[in-house]
Amino acid sequence: MMNEESVFFSRVLTELTLSFHIIYATIGVGVPLMIMIAQWVGIKKNDEHYILLARRWARGFVITVAVGVVTGTAIGMQLSLLWPNFMELAGNIIALPLFMETFAFFFEAIFLGIYLYTWDRFENQKKHLLLLIPVAIGASFSAVFITIVNAFMNAPQGFDVLNGELVNISPLLAMFNPAMPTKVAHVVVTAYMTSAFVLAAIAAFRLLKGSNHIYHKKALFLTMKVGLIFSIATAIIGDFSGKYLAEYQPEKLAAAEWHFETEENAPLILYGILDDGEVKYAIEIPFALSILAHFNPTAEVIGLDQFPEDETPPLYIHYLFDTMVTIGMFMVALSGLYWLGKKLKWTFVDSKWYRLLIVLGGPASILAIEAGWWLAEVGRQPWILRGIMRVEDAATSSTHVDLMLILFAGLYLVLGVGSIVVLTRMFRKNPVEQEIEDRHAEKGGDIL
C-alpha cells in the first residue's frame, strides 16, 4: 500500500472513529446537566416524577458512558498509530490537555459511581444532588480539554519551529490559543442542546406511542425548555465563531460560504450548486456574510482568490455549514413555538404531527453535531497543524491501515447495536408506570 493509500485509510478511520465517538461524547457531556436539572426541579417542587426522571436518565447514561470510554480510548490510540509524525512534532504540547481530559473523566466517573449507588441512602435529597455537580463538571471539562487539542490544531501557538522541531514550548500559551474560546463554548453548549433534544424526542415518542402519562409530559416540557435556552446560546456562539474564522481562518469561512472574490457588502449564500465555478439555485441574503464576519454590513470579506489552490479547503463543506445552520434554526423555532404554545395554551403543540417533529428533532440534532464536526475538521484541510504540517506529511506509512479500518468498523457496529439493544431492553422491561407503582408500594403513600 502506497503512502497515498495510507493517508486515505488513516483519514477514513479517523473520521469514522470521531463520527461514532461524537454521538456518545455529546450525550456524555449533556445528559449529566439534564439529570441535575431534573433532580433539582424534583426536590424544589417536591415532585416525585422529576426525581424518577433523573433516576431513569442516570441508568441510561451509564451505558453511553461505557461506549464513550471505548471510542475515546480508540481516538487516543489512533492519534499515535495513524498520525505518528504529528504526535512526534506536537506531542509535547498537546500532552497536557490530553492528560487533563483523562483526569476530568476519572473525576466524573468516581462521583458518578458514588451517585448511582447512594440513591436511597440520603435522608436529605439535596445532599445526593450535590454529588452530581462534580459529575457534570467532569463531563463538561472532558469536552473542554479535548476541544482545546482541536483548537490548537486550528490555531497553533506557544512554540517556535527550528529545523523542523518545536522549541521554546509553552503548553499553557498553546492551550489558550485564539480558536479556544469559540470552539470550546460551541462544543459544550451544542452538547447540552443536543442532549436536551434527544431526551425530548424520547419523551415525545412515548407520548406518540399511546402513553399519556404525566411523567412523559413533564419530561417533554422540561427538555424542550432547556433545549430552547441552549439552542439560542448555540446560535449566538455560532455568530462569534464566524467572526473568529473571518479573523484567523478566512480560507475556511470563504470555502464554507462559497465566497470566491474578496469584496465589500458580501452576501451570505445558502444551499445552491456549483456549476463551473458559478453558484446556481442558491438563496442569497444581502450583506449577511459581512455582518457574520465583521458585524458590519459594508465590511470587506476575504475570498478564496487570496489563497493558493493547494491551501483551499474542499468546497463541499458549504453543505455541511448549511446542514448545521438549518437544523439549528429549525430547533430554535420548534422549541420556541412549543414553549410559547404551552404558555398561551395553543393546542397544536400537543398534536401528533408536532410531537412527530420533536421526535425527528433528536436525530436531526445529532446530524447537526456531525455536520459541525466534519466542517471543523475538513475545513482545516490540507493542514493537520494549520500552516505548519500537512495531513499527508503527518500520516503513518504502515500498509495495514485498511485492515485496521475493517476491524474498528466491526467494533463500532457491535458497540452501536449493542448499546441500542441494552438501552431499549432496560427501559422496555421496566416501564415508567410499573416503576411508579413499585415506588408507590415501597413508600406506602401517594406519589405526586
Side-chain angles (χ1 to χ4, degrees):
M1 186 164 67
M2 287 160 46
N3 187 47
E4 274 183 29
E5 288 183 30
S6 297
V7 173
F8 173 75
F9 284 116
S10 294
R11 290 183 68 178
V12 172
L13 178 50
T14 306
E15 182 169 27
L16 176 67
T17 304
L18 284 172
S19 300
F20 186 71
H21 175 69
I22 198 73
I23 298 169
Y24 293 90
T26 298
I27 291 166
V29 171
V31 169
L33 182 71
M34 298 302 300
I35 298 168
M36 197 161 78
I37 291 169
Q39 195 169 340
W40 178 71
V41 171
I43 293 166
K44 195 179 168 196
K45 293 188 171 184
N46 193 23
D47 188 328
E48 200 72 25
H49 287 135
Y50 288 107
I51 302 284
L52 184 61
L53 198 59
R55 200 173 185 130
R56 287 171 71 85
W57 283 348
R59 276 187 223 136
F61 173 63
V62 174
I63 309 300
T64 60
V65 166
V67 179
V69 170
V70 177
T71 52
T73 307
I75 289 170
M77 189 171 71
Q78 286 172 20
L79 269 175
S80 298
L81 288 175
L82 303 179
W83 310 104
N85 300 336
F86 166 70
M87 289 302 286
E88 190 182 350
L89 184 74
N92 290 340
I93 301 173
I94 63 170
L96 178 61
L98 284 174
F99 167 75
M100 295 294 284
E101 192 267 340
T102 309
F103 176 79
F105 169 72
F106 283 133
F107 185 69
E108 172 197 358
I110 289 163
F111 281 96
L112 178 62
I114 299 169
Y115 172 79
L116 288 169
Y117 285 104
T118 54
W119 255 107
D120 299 311
R121 303 285 173 92
F122 286 95
E123 283 293 316
N124 185 350
Q125 276 287 307
K126 286 179 183 173
K127 288 180 181 174
H128 187 236
L129 176 65
L130 289 175
L131 288 169
L132 267 179
I133 295 171
V135 176
I137 290 171
S140 295
F141 271 90
S142 286
V144 168
F145 290 123
I146 207 69
T147 308
I148 283 173
V149 174
N150 186 264
F152 168 74
M153 292 161 76
N154 282 279
Q157 67 170 36
F159 60 88
D160 295 316
V161 181
L162 192 68
N163 301 327
E165 287 189 15
L166 303 190
V167 294
N168 303 331
I169 291 167
S170 168
L172 284 176
L173 193 61
M175 281 174 68
F176 293 96
N177 58 72
M180 191 274 280
T182 50
K183 264 197 175 300
V184 166
H186 201 65
V187 164
V188 173
V189 170
T190 50
Y192 295 155
M193 177 195 89
T194 303
S195 297
F197 287 135
V198 166
L199 294 171
I202 295 166
F205 181 74
R206 296 303 310 150
L207 290 166
L208 268 180
K209 291 291 277 184
S211 172
N212 208 29
H213 203 285
I214 187 72
Y215 167 92
H216 296 303
K217 290 178 179 175
K218 286 177 179 176
L220 185 59
F221 183 69
L222 177 71
T223 48
M224 289 297 276
K225 201 172 180 181
V226 174
L228 172 63
I229 292 163
F230 285 117
S231 59
I232 292 168
T234 296
I236 293 165
I237 295 164
D239 179 68
F240 284 119
S241 298
K243 287 165 179 52
Y244 158 77
L245 288 178
E247 183 72 26
Y248 293 96
Q249 283 180 280
E251 74 283 1
K252 184 191 273 192
L253 183 68
E257 303 297 349
W258 283 354
H259 184 61
F260 297 107
E261 304 291 328
T262 302
E263 61 179 359
E264 296 174 352
N265 313 318
L268 185 73
I269 291 169
L270 289 171
Y271 318 113
I273 58 166
L274 272 181
D275 185 12
D276 284 336
E278 291 270 320
V279 180
K280 292 185 175 177
Y281 316 116
I283 298 169
E284 205 171 280
I285 307 170
F287 309 109
L289 184 55
S290 289
I291 293 168
L292 175 68
H294 301 292
F295 218 37
N296 176 354
T298 60
E300 182 179 83
V301 182
I302 296 170
L304 288 174
D305 57 343
Q306 300 293 312
F307 302 96
E309 217 168 292
D310 67 336
E311 290 180 17
T312 300
L315 294 178
Y316 74 80
I317 65 170
H318 173 72
Y319 296 116
L320 300 174
F321 175 84
D322 287 350
T323 303
M324 179 181 70
V325 170
T326 304
I327 294 171
M329 290 295 106
F330 171 72
M331 295 314 294
V332 169
L334 190 70
S335 53
L337 262 179
Y338 181 84
W339 178 77
L340 205 59
K342 283 292 183 185
K343 283 275 181 195
L344 303 175
K345 296 193 167 41
W346 293 340
T347 53
F348 76 87
V349 293
D350 293 322
S351 63
K352 280 194 171 182
W353 67 268
Y354 204 82
R355 282 176 179 165
L356 182 62
L357 286 178
I358 295 170
V359 171
L360 294 173
S365 298
I366 294 282
L367 181 61
I369 286 274
E370 294 283 13
W373 197 243
W374 294 331
L375 171 66
E377 295 301 282
V378 179
R380 192 181 60 244
Q381 302 304 313
W383 306 103
I384 192 165
L385 199 57
R386 184 177 178 267
I388 293 167
M389 180 180 265
R390 288 175 179 262
V391 170
E392 63 260 27
D393 299 327
T396 180
S397 55
S398 168
T399 56
H400 304 296
V401 185
D402 49 351
L403 179 62
M404 274 180 71
L405 176 61
I406 294 164
L407 292 172
F408 273 105
L411 172 67
Y412 301 149
L413 185 64
V414 170
L415 286 172
V417 172
S419 59
I420 292 165
V421 169
V422 170
L423 284 168
T424 46
R425 282 190 179 176
M426 181 190 283
F427 292 109
R428 192 177 288 154
K429 286 187 175 180
N430 192 17
V432 172
E433 292 80 358
Q434 184 63 48
E435 193 162 346
I436 287 174
E437 271 183 42
D438 292 347
R439 288 180 68 74
H440 176 88
E442 266 175 44
K443 293 196 171 184
D446 288 334
I447 280 188
L448 295 170

